[in-house]
Amino acid sequence: MRKRHVKFLAAGALAAAMVIANLPVTSTLYMDSVETAEAAEVVDATVNITDSTISDTSKIKVDSSTDSGVAVYKISTGGTYEFTGSSKNVAIEVAEGKNAELILNNMIIDDSSTVASAQEAVITLGKNSTVSINLTGDSVIKCSNSDASKIESAILHTKNKDNVLTVCGSGSLEISGSTGDAIKAKKGVVNIESGNITITDCYGDGIEAATVNISGGNLDITTIFDSASTQYYTSGTSSVSGYNTIWESGSTKYERVNVDTGSHKGIKAGIKAKTEIYSDDSSNNEVTESSGGLYISGGTVTVNTLAAGLKANAVSGSYKATSTGVYIIGAPDDGLHSNNDMSITGGTINVYASDDGITAANDLTITGTPDINIYKAYEGIEGATIVIGESGASTGPSIDIES
């Protein structure tokens, strides 16, 4: 087990003096590694606390006992925290119900070699918290991809509908190697306002949240599936074991899942409508209305899910078609996907998808003057209801599709 020592350089005395002078508090923490050659590779990691309301440096605690070989920066009070420097095997946690700004200033966290017992995410935000990530300079998060059985995200917001995560700033953030979703706030809100965000080698969804708002910045997402060359779907019969099977009966389509190939969408938003009725007893009934969605009003969004798999109406080769003549290899997935509504009113969107380019379970509205380019897809644009352009408008969307 790797041990870490943390040195506080006169932080308590310095903090008190600076608060009396009503100046911002600056606390520097140096992480030292001992005992193994690998541990000696860790570079000094600096955390600058730049909020005059923080007078106690213990509010940010480095805990190396939480997980084997991982030092966790635990933020227990609201405020502004600036992270700079480079380190390996590090995690950041914001406590439940806190409002915080995390400034990532040329920060590099390399958790790519972390063991399978690593944190669930590199940056974890507690439920009922509102957190902004302000990008300054060029920052990097390398997730643990050494063990595919361990699901790790780069940024994870604990499941709660009141969670809000906003990414802004003029800098960049590169995320690689996430075995889970790169940015995940499953029941909450993710706002992308500005900055350059690149997500590569993502084994899950690039971004998953109940509501995703993109108003600016540059977002480039590539998702992958290691076994994309392996056939997971076969011909239409429910009796076949070992594969996922798709078949039809009348107007109803069925799917039997024997192998969970996961979700590898570029952006997945919205909560599905759900109705379960087990008996006449109302206590067993569960009805959930669909909510949330994907809303793009600006910025540049580029999504590539081609490395997740292949879906085609092929007529030759060694792969066996489904009952509808469709060949599915690996885990083909959508570029932009909403389980509820989707609205696109601006920005530039470039999609390369192994399944649908843009799809919404409910209403899909494309108005204003967005520039949409779907360069490759099985189906270009799909929705329960699709509205493109506005009646009487002198200009409208530009849409190019190759499917």
Side-chain angles (χ1 to χ4, degrees), residues 105-334:
N105 182 5
N106 292 314
M107 177 203 76
I108 299 176
I109 294 179
D110 184 355
D111 285 0
S112 58
S113 61
T114 307
V115 295
S117 60
Q119 299 290 113
E120 189 175 358
V122 178
I123 300 177
T124 301
L125 313 175
K127 65 181 181 180
N128 297 319
S129 63
T130 298
V131 177
S132 66
I133 294 181
N134 191 337
L135 304 178
T136 303
D138 301 323
S139 296
V140 175
I141 297 177
K142 295 182 179 181
C143 299
S144 174
N145 57 8
S146 58
D147 189 337
S149 66
K150 175 62 184 179
I151 304 301
E152 182 181 64
S153 298
I155 303 171
L156 173 66
H157 218 326
T158 307
K159 295 178 182 179
N160 188 277
K161 64 182 179 61
D162 296 323
N163 294 337
V164 179
L165 167 64
T166 300
V167 181
C168 59
S170 59
S172 69
L173 174 62
E174 180 181 338
I175 296 172
S176 64
S178 57
T179 49
D181 304 326
I183 300 175
K184 182 172 185 175
K186 189 167 185 179
K187 294 185 178 180
V189 178
V190 171
N191 300 316
I192 307 294
E193 295 182 351
S194 57
N196 299 306
I197 304 168
T198 303
I199 297 172
T200 61
D201 300 328
C202 176
Y203 291 76
D205 300 319
I207 298 177
E208 182 193 0
T211 302
V212 178
N213 299 305
I214 301 174
S215 58
N218 295 292
L219 185 60
D220 194 330
I221 300 173
T222 302
T223 63
I224 63 173
F225 180 59
D226 267 351
S227 301
S229 61
T230 303
Q231 182 183 5
Y232 279 98
Y233 286 82
T234 188
S235 59
T237 169
S238 61
S239 62
V240 176
S241 61
Y243 295 100
N244 297 342
T245 60
I246 295 178
W247 71 99
E248 297 181 5
S249 177
S251 61
T252 304
K253 291 184 178 181
Y254 298 91
E255 180 179 14
R256 175 179 174 178
V257 177
N258 297 306
V259 181
D260 183 5
T261 56
S263 180
H264 311 276
K265 297 173 176 61
I267 300 175
K268 182 169 69 174
I271 302 296
K272 290 182 180 180
K274 179 180 181 181
T275 302
E276 295 179 356
I277 300 176
Y278 299 104
S279 69
D280 292 335
D281 182 359
S282 60
S283 63
N284 290 328
N285 298 347
E286 180 177 349
V287 179
T288 302
E289 293 184 359
S290 56
S291 60
L294 175 57
Y295 306 95
I296 302 175
S297 60
T300 299
V301 179
T302 301
V303 172
N304 187 329
T305 68
L306 295 179
L310 170 68
K311 183 175 182 180
N313 287 320
V315 294
S316 63
S318 60
Y319 298 107
K320 191 175 182 181
T322 65
S323 59
T324 55
V326 176
Y327 290 75
I328 304 177
I329 305 168
D333 232 324
D334 307 327

